[in-house]
């Protein structure tokens, strides 16, 4: 009798383990941190230091089921990012921008029952919804629409996903129209180009 119960328990536990497919399908709540890398694209500022402050993202998405190891995860994310630089008069200039970003993560992974390691490509578009600048009187302008692609890897454990990716933005993301222009002709076309490293944590429900 005892052996029968033990056998039944082991079989039930094994079936439950197998049924717990690592690829969870459903809605996603996601948050993360973003580290920017900026390039001014202007020779006179080649050695300028653009210190980026720690940014963050938060949003929602949907994780599809897998087909041959492939799955999709479209997302709607709010992203906040800030930049600090020292102006020519040693004034500390701080800019803060808000974006709505729409990435579509194309994932490919291997289902190991409770675990699913995966790699992914993440094309995205972003929409600037607000800017703030302090330290100077000039205006700060972000391109209203940006876009690029990210490459990364992740690990899915039951209902949790941990990801790391690097984004390449395809165009200039910002310019200081008035402030930099008045510093000389060579600054009139200042455009900041961005790369960014992202660490994310998502819960699928």
């Amino acid at each position: 009798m005892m052996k029968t119960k033990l056998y039944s328990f082991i079989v039930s536990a094994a079936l439950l383990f197998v049924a717990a497919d690592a690829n969870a399908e459903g809605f996603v709540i996601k948050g993360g941190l973003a580290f920017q890398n900026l390039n001014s694209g202007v020779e006179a500022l080649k050695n300028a230091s653009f210190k980026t402050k720690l940014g963050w993202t938060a949003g929602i998405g949907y994780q599809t089921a897998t087909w041959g190891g492939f799955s999709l995860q479209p997302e709607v994310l709010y992203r906040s990012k800030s930049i600090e630089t020292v102006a020519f008069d040693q004034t500390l200039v701080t800019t803060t921008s808000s974006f709505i970003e729409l990435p579509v993560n194309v994932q490919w992974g291997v289902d190991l029952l409770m675990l699913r390691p995966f790699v992914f490509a993440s094309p995205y578009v972003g929409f600037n919804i607000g800017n703030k600048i302090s330290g100077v009187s000039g205006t700060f302008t972000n391109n209203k629409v940006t876009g690029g692609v990210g490459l990364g890897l992740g690990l899915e454990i039951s209902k949790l996903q941990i990801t790391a990716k690097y984004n390449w933005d395809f165009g200039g993301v910002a310019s200081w129209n008035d402030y930099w222009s008045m510093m000389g002709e060579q600054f009139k076309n200042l455009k900041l180009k961005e790369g960014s490293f992202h660490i994310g944590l998502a819960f699928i429900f």
Side-chain angles (χ1 to χ4, degrees):
M1 185 68 175
M2 189 66 179
K3 287 184 177 180
T4 302
K5 288 184 177 180
L6 181 60
Y7 177 78
S8 298
F9 175 79
I10 293 173
V11 171
S12 298
L15 290 174
L16 181 63
F17 185 80
V18 172
D21 190 343
N23 176 227
E25 178 184 4
F27 290 98
V28 175
I29 296 177
K30 186 173 187 178
L33 301 176
F35 306 84
Q36 291 175 267
N37 176 33
L38 295 173
N39 182 352
S40 70
V42 173
E43 187 64 27
L45 292 178
K46 188 174 182 180
N47 298 318
S49 175
F50 294 98
K51 180 181 178 183
T52 59
K53 301 175 72 174
L54 185 64
W56 58 273
T57 60
I60 58 174
Y62 187 83
Q63 175 73 43
T64 69
T66 57
W67 307 278
F70 287 94
S71 63
L72 295 177
Q73 190 184 88
E75 298 171 339
V76 180
L77 302 176
Y78 173 85
R79 182 179 173 193
S80 176
K81 50 188 176 181
S82 296
I83 308 166
E84 286 185 347
T85 189
V86 177
F88 293 97
D89 58 2
Q90 301 304 304
T91 300
L92 181 64
V93 181
T94 302
T95 61
T96 302
S97 302
S98 299
F99 281 81
I100 296 295
E101 293 188 346
L102 305 176
V104 177
N105 302 317
V106 183
Q107 304 174 349
W108 182 85
V110 179
D111 191 347
L112 303 176
L113 296 180
M114 290 294 288
L115 298 176
R116 186 176 71 96
F118 60 90
V119 295
F120 64 97
S122 181
Y124 66 91
V125 293
F127 303 91
N128 176 233
I129 59 173
N131 303 298
K132 292 190 297 184
I133 184 169
S134 63
V136 295
S137 58
T139 60
F140 171 61
T141 302
N142 264 296
N143 289 346
K144 292 301 181 182
V145 180
T146 66
V149 65
L151 295 176
L153 49 84
L155 180 65
E156 188 172 301
I157 308 171
S158 185
K159 298 288 188 178
L160 292 178
Q161 278 188 0
I162 303 168
T163 56
K165 70 172 179 177
Y166 192 87
N167 280 355
W168 289 269
D169 199 277
F170 289 154
V173 297
S175 63
W176 280 273
N177 291 339
D178 296 341
Y179 179 71
W180 291 110
S181 293
M182 70 183 182
M183 301 307 297
E185 196 69 29
Q186 68 269 39
F187 299 114
K188 285 189 176 180
N189 295 316
L190 173 64
K191 299 289 184 183
L192 291 181
K193 294 185 178 180
E194 178 191 35
S196 54
F197 178 70
H198 298 251
I199 298 174
L201 178 65
F203 177 72
I204 304 169
F205 63 96

